[in-house]
Each structure stands twice: as structure tokens, then as C-alpha cells.
């Protein structure tokens, strides 16, 4: 009854809206219903007589120790997942195979050409270096030969001068000795008989035969050139001097003849036993 009066009073205080219950009214009604249920449950709990409680006492019983728990079984190793077979690639077509073969063939040919070009460049470079080396060796060899030839010429000229000086000195000594023994006086005196009489026809040949074995040549003289030489001698045939009157045109032949006369040193006597004080002789390589 109290709840009904409370509801009526609450409803009288709530403003009325036309057209039925409002949303707020419904919410309030729901709250009141919940409150009523709670009050009813509380009254019912208070009105019941509490039941009696009995308890029993027991003595402690010894407990038997439980056996230790069994060790856990090892877990089996996880099986690796089986890889899924990959899908096979699609088979190339005949045109693709031919195109790939053509590409590989072109690569092989290009590589072969590059290798050939590289080998050709290396060969040419090697030939160039070899030619440069040979040219350098030729230049150095020519320089060495020229230097050796120059030294040889200088040495030969020095020896020739020394030989000429020695022979000239020896001739002067021989002439002085002969003149002192013969009592002819001055070395320039040749005597009347020497001026009036000339050599015999065969005398020039005898002089050439005496001089020619002393001619030394390294090269053959072309043609048959004539070197004309004047030879001055002492009464005993000792060669005092020699002079090239007319050159043969071949310097080597001229010098070889003059050196041969110096080596001869003394001319043979003529058929009358005398030696002309001066005689001009023609020397040829093939006489």
C-alpha cells in the first residue's frame, strides 16, 4: 500500500505528456519496479529462522607420502614441414630455343673475335718492340764499328809515322856510315858517273820484284791502276826517301805501295853493280 501511494504521488508530480507515457516515465517506472523487488527480497530474508550448525571433531591421521610424479615424457621433435614441390617452369618453345642458341652463338663469336684482335695487337706490339730493339742494336753496332775503325786508322797512322821516322833515321845513319867509309863527302854528292849513266832496261823490273812481296792489301783493288813513285837511294842501295809522283786514283793502292817500299829498305844493284841515286817506277797490282 505504501508502494502504491508512493507511485501515485510520483505520478502526480511528473508532468503529463499528451499521447501516452514518455521515455522518462518508463525509465522511472523500471527503477521503481527494481526497488520493489529488492525490498521484497530483504523482508523475506529477515523473516526466515536461521538453521542450526553442527560440527564434528576428528583426530589427525598420518598422511602417506605420495610417490614422486613420473618425469614428463620428452616431446617428440617436431617434424619439419615437407616442402611443397615447386611448380615446373614452362617448357620453352622452339622459337625461344632457336633465339637462345643464336644469342649464345653470337656471344661465342664476339668473344672469339675479341680474343683474336687482342692477340693480333699483342703480336704487332711485339714485332714493333723487336724491330726497335734490332734497330737500336744495329745503331750501336755501327757506332762501335766506326769507333773501332777510327781507332784502327789512328793507330795505323801513328805506327806508319813511327815507322817512317825510324826508317828515315836508319837511312840517314846508313848513308853517313857508307859515305864515311867510301869517302864520298857530302850526302848530296852523287858523282859524275851516277849522273851520266842510267839504269838498265831490266832494272825497274828487278825493283818491282823486290818491292811487290811487301805490298799488303786487305781488299782487292779494282782494275789495274798505276801508282808512279820516285825512289832516292844511297850508293849501297839503301832507300833514303820515296815520293808519290802520280796517284793511281786508289788511295789504298798508293799507300800500300809506299809502305811496301819502306819495308823493302834497300834496292838491288843494277847489272853494272851500281844503284841509281834516283829512279821513277810504275807500280800496278797485276804486273
Amino acid at each position: 500500500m505504501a508502494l502504491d501511494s508512493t507511485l501515485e504521488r510520483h505520478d502526480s508530480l511528473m508532468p503529463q505528456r499528451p499521447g501516452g507515457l514518455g521515455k522518462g516515465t518508463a525509465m522511472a517506472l523500471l527503477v521503481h519496479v527494481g526497488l520493489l523487488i529488492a525490498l521484497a527480497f530483504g523482508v523475506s530474508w529477515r523473516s526466515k529462522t536461521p538453521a542450526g550448525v553442527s560440527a564434528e571433531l576428528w583426530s589427525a591421521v598420518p598422511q602417506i607420502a605420495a610417490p614422486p610424479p613420473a618425469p614428463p615424457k620428452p616431446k617428440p621433435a617436431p617434424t619439419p614441414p615437407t616442402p611443397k614441390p615447386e611448380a615446373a617452369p614452362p617448357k620453352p618453345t622452339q622459337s625461344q630455343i632457336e633465339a637462345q642458341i643464336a644469342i649464345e652463338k653470337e656471344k661465342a663469336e664476339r668473344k672469339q673475335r675479341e680474343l683474336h684482335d687482342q692477340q693480333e695487337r699483342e703480336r704487332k706490339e711485339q714485332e714493333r718492340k723487336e724491330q726497335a730493339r734490332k734497330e737500336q742494336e744495329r745503331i750501336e753496332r755501327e757506332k762501335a764499328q766506326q769507333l773501332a775503325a777510327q781507332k784502327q786508322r789512328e793507330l795505323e797512322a801513328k805506327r806508319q809515322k813511327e815507322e817512317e821516322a825510324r826508317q828515315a833515321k836508319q837511312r840517314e845513319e846508313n848513308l853517313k856510315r857508307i859515305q864515311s867509309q867510301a869517302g864520298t863527302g857530302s850526302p848530296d854528292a852523287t858523282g859524275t858517273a851516277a849522273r851520266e849513266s842510267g839504269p838498265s832496261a831490266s832494272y825497274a823490273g828487278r825493283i818491282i820484284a823486290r818491292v811487290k812481296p811487301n805490298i799488303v792489301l786487305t781488299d782487292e783493288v779494282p782494275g789495274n791502276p798505276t801508282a808512279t813513285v820516285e825512289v832516292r837511294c844511297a850508293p849501297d842501295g839503301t832507300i833514303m826517301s820515296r815520293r808519290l809522283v802520280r796517284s793511281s786514283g786508289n788511295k789504298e793502292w798508293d799507300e800500300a805501295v809506299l809502305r811496301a817500299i819502306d819495308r823493302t829498305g834497300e834496292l838491288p844493284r843494277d847489272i853494272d853493280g851500281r844503284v841509281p841515286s834516283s829512279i821513277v817506277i810504275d807500280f800496278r797490282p797485276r804486273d
Side-chain angles (χ1 to χ4, degrees), residues 117-132:
D117 294 342
Q118 182 179 359
Q119 291 176 350
E120 186 67 17
R121 289 193 298 270
E122 292 177 355
R123 184 185 63 81
K124 290 182 179 179
E125 181 66 17
Q126 187 66 24
E127 289 180 354
R128 186 188 65 79
K129 290 182 179 179
E130 185 67 17
Q131 291 178 356

Side-chain angles (χ1 to χ4, degrees), residues 28-43:
L29 182 60
L30 182 60
V31 170
H32 282 86
V33 171
L35 181 61
L36 289 175
I37 292 172
L39 291 174
F41 179 77
V43 171

Side-chain angles (χ1 to χ4, degrees), residues 203-216 229 231 233 239 242 253 256-268 279 281-283:
Y203 186 61
R206 295 175 61 191
I207 293 176
I208 293 173
R210 175 70 67 87
V211 174
K212 202 163 187 181
N214 294 324
I215 297 176
V216 178
V229 180
V231 182
C233 299
I239 298 174
R242 82 282 189 282
W253 173 247
V257 171
L258 294 176
R259 288 195 298 268
I261 294 172
D262 293 337
R263 292 190 184 98
T264 303
E266 184 179 349
L267 295 184
I279 184 170
I281 309 170
D282 293 334
F283 291 91

Side-chain angles (χ1 to χ4, degrees), residues 188-199 232 272 274-278:
D188 295 332
T190 57
T192 306
R195 289 193 302 267
E196 293 178 352
S197 61
R232 299 182 64 85
D272 58 0
R274 294 182 302 167
V275 178
S277 61
S278 176

